[in-house]
Amino acid sequence: MGQPGVAGRAATTCAVALLLGGCNAIFGFHEGSPLEPSQTTAGGQGGVGGGGAGPAGGDGGAAAPWLAGYGWRKQVTIHADVIDESLANFVVGVIVDADAELAARAMEDGADIGFTSDDGTTMLASEIELFEPDSGRLAAWVHVPLLSDAEDTVLWLYYGNPSRPPSTAGDTWGELFHGVWHLSPDESGSPTLTSEDSSSYGNDGSSDGVNVMPSQVPGVAGTAYSFGANDWVNFGHPSNGSLDFGLGSFSYSLWVLASGSTTAIQHPWAKGAVFVPEAGYSVEIRSAGWRIVLDDGASEKTANFGPAAEFDGAWTYLTAVVDRSLQEARVYANGEHRYTVDIAALSWLSTASAAQLGAPEPYVGLIDEVRVYGIALTDAWIAAEYANLDSPAQFFTLGAEQRAP
């Protein structure tokens, strides 16, 4: 399959606009506005994405049974032609720029938004990262048991349930996810509040009261953090060991929009592997090139994503895979494999150093959707994660609204 093109991501001018507070216009629908079928705004990347709008529909009329208690639903169709191979337990981002019908009928906090499988009644675990009631803007995450490369995967998005069904957010991210940070806003506005981890490990981050939490701006999904030279997020060294993998396989990924690489090293992510020698794993951004560093406390290995000129000023999805079964580390930029390095000589990578965003060497730019996984991700998984957020409108189609029979 062909990956969505670079044109789907933000250009340099859009990146500058993001740093100033936003790029894509978010279309608001106010009370009393007329509603037309499928009044859904689809968008490319550069702020938030949006699912493609499906054909006009009507009341009920679909073959799938109806989930009791809900007044409205829309079909979500994930296209098989953007999936390289079938993936089990994949978490899909349902990212919608704006939807007037969701705005009119869902609860103000989006707590009644839920998802089912194609049968219309089997609930799927989901997390609502962001819902804006004025526009219907949505960033939701849905645990899909099987994402097929042979046929389209169909889900149902339900809303309009006055009984406020119980949340399934805690079940969305399975055991392979050791850290999931959406970097969503906190309504209180305090600069020292936590950055919540959506995984079951609860590795929340915070500032230290001197360096401050970054500000929020539109991101690839929901919101991103905008880092200045004095901003950082510290996740500490979890006592449960969930961010340390010793001699085991693991992966880590994040979306970054660097304002510009310099000769000085910047760290969008680091858990050790900063000072030589220091065990751990990190991402380094500098004018000489972007790379990962793996260090066992005695020696280090590096793998290059590519030249800074290729990435500066645009959203870039960086992924590192430490594969102990093959004794290699692989790096990917925007879903594509870039470099492999032999790591047979490296021993224990665990470290007591804190996991951090934007530090210890200050990083200037945006960061979104940071994840740590307890496995070596496959090429197909990485490509699907990139396609999902790089161009949601090509990844899935959001169908017309249907009313309960």
Side-chain angles (χ1 to χ4, degrees):
M1 72 133 202
Q3 290 300 310
V6 177
R9 301 196 306 277
T12 302
T13 53
C14 181
V16 174
L18 270 169
L19 288 170
L20 294 176
C23 177
N24 284 6
I26 304 300
F27 298 91
F29 294 89
H30 302 287
E31 186 175 356
S33 299
L35 290 177
E36 299 296 334
S38 291
Q39 195 167 7
T40 299
T41 303
Q45 201 184 320
V48 292
D59 299 342
W66 200 274
L67 187 63
Y70 284 89
W72 310 89
R73 74 180 183 185
K74 296 190 178 195
Q75 183 172 292
V76 179
T77 304
I78 303 166
H79 305 300
D81 60 1
V82 299
I83 307 300
D84 285 345
E85 63 184 45
S86 294
L87 301 168
N89 300 312
F90 191 86
V91 180
V92 170
V94 178
I95 313 301
V96 179
D97 277 347
D99 188 299
E101 293 155 342
L102 276 175
R105 313 195 203 286
M107 289 182 173
E108 284 197 1
D109 60 1
D112 61 331
I113 295 173
F115 295 83
T116 72
S117 66
D118 60 349
D119 65 12
T121 58
T122 301
M123 289 293 295
L124 300 176
S126 62
E127 177 191 8
I128 307 303
E129 174 191 348
L130 176 75
F131 179 67
E132 294 182 349
D134 291 337
S135 65
R137 179 186 173 201
L138 175 67
W141 302 94
V142 187
H143 183 275
V144 179
L146 182 65
L147 197 59
S148 175
D149 66 341
E151 59 183 7
D152 292 348
T153 301
V154 173
L155 316 176
W156 290 99
L157 186 167
Y158 280 90
Y159 52 100
N161 185 342
S163 66
R164 187 182 291 268
S167 171
T168 58
D171 300 321
T172 304
W173 305 92
E175 291 184 359
L176 77 88
F177 295 94
H178 285 227
V180 177
W181 298 279
H182 302 305
L183 309 184
S184 299
D186 191 301
E187 294 181 357
S188 71
S190 170
T192 60
L193 290 173
T194 60
S195 296
E196 292 186 355
D197 175 15
S198 292
S199 82
S200 62
Y201 291 95
N203 295 319
D204 297 342
S206 64
S207 67
D208 63 356
V210 178
N211 295 300
V212 299
M213 293 290 279
S215 58
Q216 281 102 14
V217 297
V220 292
T223 60
Y225 276 179
S226 178
F227 287 78
N230 294 317
D231 301 330
W232 77 334
V233 179
N234 186 345
F235 303 105
H237 172 54
S239 59
N240 59 21
S242 56
L243 299 182
D244 290 294
F245 301 94
L247 295 174
S249 296
F250 67 100
S251 307
Y252 56 109
S253 70
L254 67 166
W255 287 79
V256 299
L257 194 164
S259 58
S261 301
T262 65
T263 54
I265 292 173
Q266 301 181 56
H267 286 119
W269 165 272
K271 191 177 193 305
V274 172
F275 307 105
V276 180
E278 181 188 22
Y281 53 103
S282 64
V283 174
E284 289 186 353
I285 287 178
R286 55 181 181 171
S287 56
W290 293 19
R291 67 180 190 171
I292 65 165
V293 178
L294 306 174
D295 196 313
D296 63 5
S299 61
E300 69 174 29
K301 293 288 186 178
T302 64
N304 296 320
F305 293 108
E310 179 182 355
F311 306 129
D312 281 345
W315 275 112
T316 305
Y317 175 52
L318 303 176
T319 311
V321 176
V322 177
D323 190 337
R324 290 292 193 172
S325 67
L326 299 177
Q327 290 298 345
E328 65 183 26
R330 303 183 295 273
V331 294
Y332 301 75
N334 295 327
E336 297 181 350
H337 175 246
R338 294 302 185 93
Y339 191 77
T340 297
V341 62
D342 186 289
I343 60 170
L346 285 181
S347 62
W348 201 262
L349 295 179
S350 294
T351 175
S353 298
Q356 302 172 83
L357 294 179
E361 299 298 338
Y363 164 79
V364 178
L366 308 185
I367 299 177
D368 199 6
E369 288 305 318
V370 182
R371 298 177 187 175
V372 177
Y373 317 76
I375 63 171
L377 295 178
T378 64
D379 289 5
W381 185 289
I382 294 166
E385 284 203 343
Y386 171 68
N388 185 187
L389 296 187
D390 177 65
S391 184
Q394 295 180 39
F395 193 80
F396 72 88
T397 298
L398 186 62
E401 182 178 78
Q402 298 179 6
R403 189 169 62 196

